[in-house]
Amino acid sequence: MISTTRVHLMRALTAGAAVAAVALSLAACSATDDKAASTPSTSAESPALAALADLQKPLDAYPVPTEPIEGVDADKGGTLYYIPITQQSPEFAVDQAGVEAAAAAVGMSVQVCDGKGTPTEVSACIDHATNAKAAGIILDAVPYDIAANSIAAAQKAGIPVVIGNQLADDRHPSTPTFTYTAVSGSAQQEALARWVIADSDGKANVLMNVTTDGQSQIQYAADGKKVFADECSGCTVATNEVSSANFSQVPSSTSSALLKNSDTDYLIVEFAQFLQATQSGVQNAGASGRITLAAGSASLNDIKAVASGSVGAATAQASAFVGWMYVDATLRLIAGQSVPEYTIPIRLFTKDTMGDVQLTEAAQESGEWFGPTTFTDEFKKLWGVA
């Protein structure tokens, strides 16, 4: 079981991701008008910063649901369609591996379709799954609105649809054939903000490369910025917009933002898929010697960069667990059961707290960075296939 302290910490850090707060406009994310001193608050001695030490350790146990699923037939088969918003992000490869392993445990196969970051491609993937009479559709980081008609058509056909890595949209509530799962984006940005505050002794000049691919991504960054506003009176924060659609422009926009904000000493990359492109921008601006990088949604190569010292800190979610969670939610929809409130473990990685971290693909895909790998057996027991 997870300790009470860990449960309270995880709930506190994921609270911002559970419900969307006031949405930021895209204009509010531009580097041209967003730099401002944070409001006075608790400084780098805030008790909230003490939670960082706990976040740098693995869990005692994963937060697996406790309610079993009735009627799972491992011999029935069927195909799940896994559709990430884009396969450009390494994180989704780990999610996918988890989905495939979990599906295999219940005798199901997985068909993967790359959304390629566009509404047209995402909709085409969903339509293909619907026409193929999929057993279920898992949409990873896909905003409902970019494929609303296709999602509605899938539900009308009686195909369960699960959206993960996106905040729940009140305009499109859950139904007996549709649900959202937990997200960790806000928790990761809040953790990075608190690490920067602590590392800088409450005197950081921060540039955030904020992803504008959707409202969820914008909200995650807003929650991170709020930590600076509430807890670091000596910090300043500026933002620079980046997006998957304009990936090639990330180096130039980053260097421009750094030249404009010449006192920047910390740069937070919201999603690590943009980390390498951001580093190119830092080099182009001649700022490599003075910038400390931090990144969210990190994968193996990004954690290796932390270990080498080229990145100061990174957060990651337990993506292997996420894949099993997706299948658990899908199976519950198939069985006509309610879907529980999941919690996604995250971890903060820094160079001096990585003694137990095995930097291998096997370790990443097993989930051992975040806790005991027995969570897979626990899911199987819930599904009656152990």
Side-chain angles (χ1 to χ4, degrees):
M1 297 294 292
I2 304 174
S3 68
T4 301
T5 300
R6 286 293 288 166
V7 170
H8 288 174
L9 172 63
M10 289 160 56
R11 288 176 178 171
L13 288 172
T14 55
V19 180
V22 178
L24 293 180
S25 67
L26 294 181
C29 290
S30 76
T32 59
D33 58 5
D34 191 52
K35 186 179 179 184
S38 302
T39 55
S41 188
T42 57
S43 83
E45 297 180 357
S46 167
L49 297 180
L52 291 179
D54 205 39
L55 271 179
Q56 294 171 15
K57 305 172 185 176
L59 297 168
D60 295 330
Y62 272 90
V64 177
T66 57
E67 185 70 25
I69 303 177
E70 303 295 336
V72 175
D73 187 349
D75 297 322
K76 187 176 181 180
T79 301
L80 299 179
Y81 275 70
Y82 173 70
I83 305 170
I85 185 66
T86 173
Q87 289 187 311
Q88 187 179 58
S89 172
E91 180 182 23
F92 296 139
V94 186
D95 291 358
Q96 177 185 325
V99 169
E100 291 172 340
V106 292
M108 304 181 84
S109 60
V110 176
Q111 180 71 42
V112 181
C113 188
D114 185 2
K116 298 180 180 178
T118 71
T120 300
E121 293 290 344
V122 170
S123 295
C125 287
I126 298 171
D127 292 344
H128 178 70
T130 301
N131 293 334
K133 296 180 172 52
I137 299 173
I138 298 168
L139 304 176
D140 207 342
V142 173
Y144 191 106
D145 281 344
I146 75 169
N149 291 337
S150 295
I151 294 173
Q155 291 183 70
K156 186 176 181 180
I159 298 174
V161 178
V162 173
I163 291 182
N165 278 317
Q166 285 287 291
L167 294 170
D169 188 337
D170 291 339
R171 297 169 302 161
H172 307 290
S174 297
T175 71
T177 56
F178 170 69
T179 193
Y180 301 90
T181 58
V183 294
S184 69
S186 290
Q188 292 191 58
Q189 292 305 299
E190 291 163 357
L192 289 176
R194 292 192 172 105
W195 177 82
V196 168
I197 293 170
D199 192 64
S200 68
D201 292 326
K203 299 174 183 178
N205 295 309
V206 183
L207 176 66
M208 297 177 67
N209 266 6
V210 175
T211 306
T212 59
D213 288 344
Q215 286 301 314
S216 290
Q217 290 87 341
I218 294 171
Q219 187 60 52
Y220 304 154
D223 291 334
K225 290 167 64 179
K226 187 175 186 300
V227 170
F228 285 112
D230 291 347
E231 301 177 19
C232 189
S233 60
C235 296
T236 65
V237 180
T239 55
N240 176 53
E241 294 178 358
V242 299
S243 70
S244 298
N246 296 313
F247 190 86
S248 63
Q249 298 177 22
V250 174
S252 60
S253 70
T254 299
S255 59
S256 295
L258 287 172
L259 291 171
K260 179 173 182 176
N261 301 281
S262 58
D263 57 350
T264 298
D265 46 16
Y266 288 84
L267 201 165
I268 296 176
V269 184
E270 184 177 5
F271 292 94
Q273 72 188 71
F274 298 98
L275 180 57
Q276 188 172 2
T278 296
Q279 288 173 310
S280 295
V282 172
Q283 292 171 354
N284 294 342
S288 298
R290 63 179 172 85
I291 297 293
T292 299
L293 287 161
S297 296
S299 295
L300 177 59
N301 286 338
D302 313 307
I303 307 303
K304 286 182 177 179
V306 174
S308 72
S310 61
V311 173
T315 54
Q317 68 175 16
S319 290
F321 174 84
V322 167
W324 285 73
M325 175 190 73
Y326 286 161
V327 174
D328 184 78
T330 306
L331 292 174
R332 291 177 191 276
L333 292 180
I334 292 172
Q337 293 183 214
S338 60
V339 177
E341 292 187 9
Y342 302 98
T343 299
I344 300 175
I346 69 168
R347 186 169 177 181
L348 173 68
F349 297 89
T350 58
K351 185 176 182 179
D352 58 353
T353 59
M354 292 179 61
D356 63 329
V357 179
Q358 299 297 312
L359 297 177
T360 65
E361 290 186 5
Q364 177 178 237
E365 292 185 2
S366 74
E368 69 178 65
W369 291 351
F370 304 89
T373 59
T374 52
F375 70 88
T376 59
D377 292 332
E378 295 176 49
F379 273 116
K380 290 177 186 178
K381 289 179 182 178
L382 292 180
W383 304 342
V385 296

